Amino acid sequence: MKHKDEQWEKEIRKGPFASSPFTADHKQKVLQQVEWMKKSEEGSLGDGLEQSYRSPRPFRPQVGNVSHKRRLRRGPLVAGAGAVVIAAGLFLWSWDEGKLVKPVIEQVYPTAALQLSDGLNTNLLTDKMKRNVATTMRDDLGKQLKITKVEDLPVSGRIYVEAGHESEKEYAQIWLDATTGNLREVGMRREMQPSELEHRYLRQVPSLLQSIGSTPTLKPVSVQRYVSMKQGELEPISHTTLTLVNESNYGEIVWQQDQAISITGELSPDQVSQAVLADAEDAVKAVFGETSLKLRGVSRTKDDEIGRDVINLSFNDHYLVQMIVGEETKVYSVIGENLYRNDFTNWDEVEAYHQEIYDVKESILREQVGAMIKEVFNVNLQGYTLHREVDNPGIAIFKLESPKDVIRVRYNEDVKITMITRGEL
């Protein structure tokens, strides 16, 4: 055994590992995994390729060349002799990124990465269920969480697996078909450090921020990942939200799977035309009577998922002009601080306040907002009918026959206007 260990160590030192630090801890971990591989190789390598994929999920190519190359390597690595895996030091090497990436052992035997709490009824989990749980957390959540509960749900014909705890930031719930072992539903979440975010996301950041005119040098500060799969869906869908900041600016990027679907960033004031800025200032003055305005910031959100481009202009400390443009949408909003009362002591007071707002006469509302709407939108309210939202006290809706021409007004019990919006959301 000693002679073989020395031979394996020599192999591990070859190739891309020759220039890598080879610490005693690294050596110990590698040899431990080699020992495990020795016990598992016989009779297992033949079906290793099948084990490296989650059933029944189809193959899903990743965005970018690096991920594509990794997937292409899986076949040869698994199909080759055990010595090939050992010679690779049980790791894949990415020449594009220049660093060690996923352990081969997780690719070939994903169940080896499962972390199980003591006292679990693991007999409920078939090998296929274990593979599906392990690969779901590995590929979609990006981390193996310790399994804390395994439960048989005989009425629904499912096996329930829970990892982590509901009160924690990292948590996973997975339901599997008790007969086939296939995924049925998934709900997972995780907070991670930006340094833990996969390279295929981070390398997109500068160009995505530039695409909306924002600062490409914003620094990542936090990452949130949510993964869901509902009954009837074929595979889990991940949403990854990256928050970025620098001394004075903010940004946010949301990916669905590997595709960016929403990009938010701050713009410099000179990127806003003087005509747009002047219209926004006039709108704030018309609605709120504010004559001394200072532009505090400009931000843009490009949301491809819902097909909208949003520009926000903020003035002073609590005024906002928002412009939303979509394929069939155009909305212009003038928003001020919401002076909603919050000094209620019981629900009866809340209901009484809502009734007071709802009972404001239509004639008073029209008189209060008519001149504002005329000045901001050059529209006469005379042809509009009024509707009240019963479930949303303080919102008055003026409509024409066209569903695209809708004016919403938010007001308080003194009929002070805190928002005017024109357009159909």
Side-chain angles (χ1 to χ4, degrees):
M1 179 63 193
K2 181 179 179 181
H3 174 70
K4 291 183 178 180
D5 285 350
E6 291 174 351
Q7 288 300 113
W8 286 327
E9 181 176 334
K10 288 178 182 178
E11 291 295 329
I12 292 165
R13 288 179 178 275
K14 292 180 181 179
F17 299 95
S19 60
S20 302
F22 194 82
T23 64
D25 182 60
H26 179 193
K27 173 182 174 181
Q28 182 181 5
K29 289 180 180 178
V30 168
L31 292 179
Q32 285 175 351
Q33 293 185 29
V34 167
E35 186 65 24
W36 185 92
M37 288 287 295
K38 277 181 30 183
K39 296 176 182 177
S40 304
E41 273 179 29
E42 292 186 11
S44 299
L45 278 176
D47 64 352
L49 182 59
E50 187 274 335
Q51 292 185 8
S52 68
Y53 289 93
R54 169 173 36 210
S55 175
R57 292 181 64 178
F59 171 75
R60 183 179 71 220
Q62 302 291 316
V63 174
N65 295 332
V66 174
S67 297
H68 181 58
K69 289 178 181 177
R70 290 181 194 162
R71 288 186 177 269
L72 289 178
R73 289 176 184 164
R74 285 183 180 178
L77 280 169
V78 176
V84 176
V85 178
I86 295 169
L90 302 178
F91 287 93
L92 289 177
W93 181 265
S94 169
W95 297 102
D96 302 286
E97 297 178 30
K99 61 181 181 181
L100 293 173
V101 287
K102 294 179 180 177
V104 169
I105 195 168
E106 276 198 44
Q107 301 296 304
V108 182
Y109 303 101
T111 57
L114 278 181
Q115 304 173 46
L116 303 171
S117 298
D118 295 334
L120 292 177
N121 187 5
T122 54
N123 292 333
L124 293 173
L125 299 176
T126 65
D127 288 343
K128 186 175 182 181
M129 290 177 182
K130 291 178 182 178
R131 285 199 306 274
N132 283 342
V133 170
T135 53
T136 298
M137 287 196 284
R138 180 194 70 194
D139 293 345
D140 296 303
L141 194 61
K143 182 179 182 180
Q144 299 289 353
L145 306 182
K146 180 176 286 189
I147 296 175
T148 53
K149 186 176 184 180
V150 178
E151 183 179 0
D152 185 12
L153 305 175
V155 175
S156 61
R158 298 181 178 189
I159 300 295
Y160 171 70
V161 176
E162 183 174 336
H165 298 280
E166 190 172 3
S167 60
E168 297 173 347
K169 296 176 181 178
E170 299 182 333
Y171 183 61
Q173 295 176 296
I174 300 175
W175 291 262
L176 305 117
D177 189 291
T179 303
T180 65
N182 294 337
L183 296 178
R184 284 293 171 257
E185 292 188 64
V186 173
M188 303 188 293
R189 67 173 182 262
R190 179 189 175 196
E191 282 188 20
M192 63 180 86
Q193 295 299 317
S195 58
E196 299 176 278
L197 185 61
E198 294 88 344
H199 181 66
R200 65 180 184 271
Y201 295 104
L202 289 173
R203 68 185 178 190
Q204 300 177 44
V205 170
S207 59
L208 290 174
L209 292 172
Q210 281 184 312
S211 72
I212 64 168
S214 189
T215 306
T217 55
L218 292 178
K219 302 299 182 184
V221 293
S222 66
V223 184
Q224 299 274 353
R225 178 164 292 168
Y226 298 93
V227 182
S228 66
M229 174 182 170
K230 298 179 181 178
Q231 177 67 29
E233 295 178 342
L234 296 178
E235 63 177 356
I237 301 297
S238 67
H239 282 83
T240 303
T241 301
L242 174 65
T243 301
L244 309 106
V245 298
N246 63 14
E247 292 79 5
S248 57
N249 294 323
Y250 169 87
E252 182 181 276
I253 301 174
V254 180
W255 289 269
Q256 178 175 296
Q257 302 297 74
D258 297 339
Q259 183 69 39
I261 59 172
S262 177
I263 311 161
T264 298
E266 295 194 44
L267 311 181
S268 61
D270 57 13
Q271 291 176 277
V272 181
S273 72
Q274 289 300 311
V276 168
L277 185 58
D279 286 345
E281 290 175 340
D282 290 342
V284 172
K285 292 173 184 177
V287 177
F288 301 108
E290 183 66 63
T291 57
S292 179
L293 291 175
K294 180 179 180 180
L295 182 65
R296 308 292 293 188
V298 183
S299 67
R300 178 186 179 189
T301 296
K302 187 174 182 293
D303 195 322
D304 291 335
E305 186 175 30
I306 58 176
R308 291 178 181 171
D309 206 335
V310 182
I311 300 292
N312 291 308
L313 306 176
S314 59
F315 296 91
N316 295 4
D317 294 327
H318 47 256
Y319 299 121
L320 176 71
V321 174
Q322 184 179 80
M323 293 161 278
I324 302 176
V325 178
E327 198 169 305
E328 298 180 357
T329 303
K330 189 173 182 180
V331 180
Y332 194 95
S333 301
V334 188
I335 305 168
E337 61 181 346
N338 186 4
L339 301 179
Y340 184 85
R341 284 180 53 193
N342 58 3
D343 58 346
F344 305 108
T345 59
N346 56 60
W347 185 248
D348 289 339
E349 291 184 6
V350 174
E351 289 186 334
Y353 177 70
H354 287 174
Q355 189 63 46
E356 184 180 359
I357 292 178
Y358 191 78
D359 288 342
V360 171
K361 293 182 179 180
E362 178 176 343
S363 58
I364 296 177
L365 263 177
R366 286 183 178 273
E367 180 182 352
Q368 186 73 3
V369 303
M372 298 177 184
I373 292 173
K374 176 68 175 176
E375 187 169 349
V376 176
F377 300 117
N378 194 26
V379 168
N380 192 326
L381 280 182
Q382 187 173 356
Y384 288 72
T385 58
L386 174 65
H387 302 267
R388 314 256 189 157
E389 291 190 352
V390 177
D391 296 332
N392 196 359
I395 298 293
I397 303 174
F398 296 91
K399 290 184 177 181
L400 281 179
E401 291 184 4
S402 169
K404 297 297 181 184
D405 200 351
V406 177
I407 296 174
R408 284 179 171 82
V409 176
R410 187 179 70 200
Y411 63 95
N412 60 19
E413 79 279 14
D414 296 327
V415 202
K416 181 174 181 179
I417 306 304
T418 59
M419 179 194 76
I420 294 179
T421 293
R422 186 185 185 194
E424 183 65 23
L425 290 170

